[in-house]
Amino acid sequence: MFKKVLVANRGEIALRVIRACRELGVQTVAVYSEADRESLHVRFADDDVCIGPAPARDSYLRIPRIIAAAEITGADAIHPGYGFLAENAEFAETCAASNITFIGPTPEQIRLMGNKAEARKTMQACGVPTVPGTPGPIDDPDAALEFAKSIGFPVIIKASAGGGGKGMRVARDAEEFLRSFGLARSEALSAFGDGDVYVEKYLERPRHIEFQILGDTHGTVIHLGERDCSIQRRHQKLIEEAPSPAMTPALRAAMGDAAVRGAKSINYVGAGTIEMLLDSDGSYYFMEMNTRIQVEHPVTEQLTGVDLVKEQIRVAAGEPLSVSETPELRGHVIECRINAEDPARGFQPSPGRIDVFHPPGGPGVRLDTHAYAGYRVPPYYDSMIAKLIVQGKNRDEALRRMVLALESFIIEGVTTTAPFLAKVLEHPEFREGNFDTKFLERELTTILQQPA
Ligand code: MV4
């Protein structure tokens, strides 16, 4: 096992990783920007190093500074958390070159899945269904248009180097396609330094279903069930739950098999997520693979009883997974991401001092947060201040517990999305489990107009 792990992140995930290290008897190092000096991850770690000014590009994204912090403190491994450098193949390579274990998959696996067109090909090669689309990147507008006509409109143009909704454009006819195609290519080039795009049939109202994967260096790859992440706004997930209300045991077996087959085909090591689209007719397609621990991982932890962050650390140290098959899925789990944002003002960030902080509790309630009374939410990073995770014996009990937990969560000083989330949970279509990736966009004004 490692002696000392450097946590290359901030906020709630840095705390989450420090806790897992503690349980494993591993020492920890926090790195922090000048804006995070007062953060809990700095206080909870055994050692801490300031790595630069507030902007992430000058601190949390600076590879040489993080490597130097590990060397100075004698850390033998680095956990990247999510975001920042978590899916940066060059960072994983630099760790290896410095004799530091990167807690995650190999640089090759990160790079392969980071290219969404290559990831599609890899999945097709092992029989995982993908949305009908071009065999790879396509650069000639006329050839691309001919292809779009052959599969039929609407289509979606996606950047190979994109992902998570960045660099996507939907086209509903030939004229719009030609306009969007050129724009998509130049946007991809300026955003990612790679102008490659590919074209897929656009599914109008799919559900976003993702499978949690764990692999070890001994050849075991398993899935831990799905999460339904269809409740999103501008590609930011707001609510995640498991099991998916759209799932059946037979569909889970088929989709889970496909996810494991895909991960096995690249000898995947560590925690990863296979994102799929589930169409209203029950057909499902691989969309992309995330090679990191995800924000919503606690949903799966509560449903299965498996500590995913401890598994990541064990696997990186060469140990076998502590579970060899999909565990029993226990009841129903929902997660709400609580952001310091004002829904009434277009979800504008609401940074500042949290004056009062009274967290909810009770049976089946978990709160992953770095916030406390007196904490100042900095304006430099994403605005998530807490993840509220609630479990019940079934979906109805989990929903009731979540509404009560949101209503009894007292936060003063910053505006949060908690009251908005409670209203989403009370929407009749959400209650019925009848929603898709377009639900929030469609119902936003109705929900905003509801009284609290
Ligand atoms: C799609 C799609 C429909 N058809 N691809 C969004 C994130 C990125 N992983 C890919 N995404 C999508 N890809 C095809 N062929 C729908 C989404 C999608 C989405 C699209 C528009 C608005 C919100 C969305 C939420 C989830 C997924």
Side-chain angles (χ1 to χ4, degrees):
M1 188 35 73
F2 305 114
K3 226 180 120 251
K4 208 173 194 183
V5 169
L6 181 144
V7 184
N9 217 299
R10 63 179 302 281
E12 67 82 21
I13 193 64
L15 289 182
R16 173 70 189 86
V17 175
I18 290 170
R19 282 198 188 99
C21 291
R22 272 271 149 79
E23 281 194 40
L24 292 168
V26 176
Q27 287 188 292
T28 54
V29 183
V31 293
Y32 63 98
S33 73
E34 284 164 15
D36 282 338
R37 211 171 274 285
E38 305 300 315
S39 290
L40 285 185
H41 76 280
V42 179
R43 287 204 241 167
F44 284 11
D46 297 298
D47 248 328
D48 55 79
V49 182
C50 181
I51 51 167
R57 64 176 177 280
D58 300 322
S59 48
Y60 297 107
L61 290 170
R62 287 270 168 130
I63 295 175
R65 291 187 186 182
I66 291 163
I67 299 290
E71 286 174 340
I72 289 163
T73 54
D76 47 0
I78 296 181
H79 194 300
Y82 52 69
F84 298 128
L85 298 170
E87 291 173 283
N88 185 315
E90 196 191 311
F91 180 56
E93 273 166 358
T94 310
C95 289
S98 313
N99 265 315
I100 298 164
T101 304
F102 175 82
I103 301 176
T106 66
E108 294 74 26
Q109 290 162 349
I110 297 172
R111 192 165 281 128
L112 181 62
M113 292 299 122
N115 184 312
K116 306 305 168 185
E118 286 298 322
R120 258 173 70 84
K121 284 190 207 168
T122 304
M123 294 301 151
Q124 286 163 356
C126 67
V128 175
T130 57
V131 187
T134 51
I138 184 162
D139 60 0
D140 178 43
D142 298 317
L145 177 59
E146 282 317 302
F147 182 84
K149 284 180 176 163
S150 76
I151 59 172
F153 290 103
V155 299
I156 183 165
I157 307 159
K158 295 184 177 182
S160 298
K166 284 177 290 181
M168 299 185 349
R169 271 169 187 271
V170 178
R172 299 192 174 276
D173 56 46
E175 190 201 7
E176 189 179 22
F177 182 86
L178 288 174
R179 224 178 324 121
S180 298
F181 191 78
L183 286 171
R185 283 178 55 84
S186 55
E187 275 172 13
L189 188 60
S190 64
F192 313 114
D194 174 355
D196 278 1
V197 299
Y198 60 101
V199 178
E200 280 181 356
K201 178 84 187 162
Y202 180 65
L203 310 181
E204 293 278 5
R205 289 173 63 162
R207 295 178 85 114
H208 174 133
I209 309 275
E210 57 185 34
F211 276 76
Q212 178 66 53
I213 296 291
L214 279 178
D216 66 20
T217 54
H218 306 267
T220 302
V221 179
I222 62 166
H223 79 80
L224 291 93
E226 79 284 359
R227 297 181 288 256
D228 192 317
C229 305
S230 301
I231 306 297
Q232 318 193 352
R233 180 184 167 271
R234 300 196 177 165
H235 301 295
Q236 293 279 20
K237 296 167 187 166
L238 300 188
I239 301 171
E240 304 98 351
E241 66 175 296
S244 168
M247 197 53 66
T248 63
L251 184 58
R252 180 176 300 115
M255 291 178 77
D257 267 7
V260 168
R261 200 171 343 121
K264 266 194 180 144
S265 82
I266 61 167
N267 302 312
Y268 194 76
V269 175
T273 302
I274 302 271
E275 290 187 1
M276 311 228 221
L277 291 175
L278 176 61
D279 212 349
S280 42
D281 67 358
S283 40
Y284 57 88
Y285 309 95
F286 169 84
M287 191 166 47
E288 46 192 76
M289 181 171 195
N290 302 319
T291 56
R292 60 168 189 275
I293 191 80
Q294 295 205 212
V295 174
E296 59 272 27
H297 76 274
V299 170
T300 301
E301 291 187 328
Q302 297 310 115
L303 200 70
T304 62
V306 176
D307 183 323
L308 293 170
V309 180
K310 272 167 45 180
E311 294 300 323
Q312 284 188 293
I313 299 167
R314 285 206 190 96
V315 162
E319 294 180 16
L321 290 174
S322 74
V323 274
S324 55
E325 56 186 291
T326 305
E328 185 197 344
L329 308 177
R330 309 175 306 188
H332 199 95
V333 182
I334 306 173
E335 174 179 276
C336 281
R337 298 189 189 188
I338 296 168
N339 293 347
E341 292 173 358
D342 187 352
R345 293 191 176 147
F347 293 84
Q348 184 188 111
S350 171
R353 185 177 188 272
I354 296 176
D355 298 316
V356 179
F357 191 79
H358 183 76
V365 177
R366 166 176 171 180
L367 188 69
D368 282 21
T369 182
H370 60 295
Y372 56 89
Y375 175 67
R376 283 176 195 282
V377 181
Y380 305 101
Y381 314 106
D382 85 344
S383 58
M384 192 176 73
I385 54 167
K387 303 188 306 205
L388 179 55
I389 305 105
V390 161
Q391 185 162 28
K393 62 182 182 297
N394 52 39
R395 190 169 187 265
D396 189 56
E397 186 176 65
L399 275 171
R400 287 164 188 274
R401 283 184 169 165
M402 181 60 91
V403 172
L404 291 173
L406 286 168
E407 287 174 351
S408 56
F409 197 168
I410 304 171
I411 305 172
E412 289 175 15
V414 301
T415 304
T416 82
T417 52
F420 171 80
L421 292 165
K423 292 196 285 180
V424 176
L425 297 179
E426 296 193 312
H427 191 293
E429 283 171 35
F430 183 83
R431 292 248 131 190
E432 285 166 28
N434 171 27
F435 54 84
D436 56 70
T437 50
K438 286 290 177 66
F439 168 82
L440 207 57
E441 196 182 308
R442 241 180 0 249
E443 297 299 322
L444 190 60
T445 47
T446 310
I447 295 167
L448 286 170
Q449 282 162 7
Q450 296 294 320

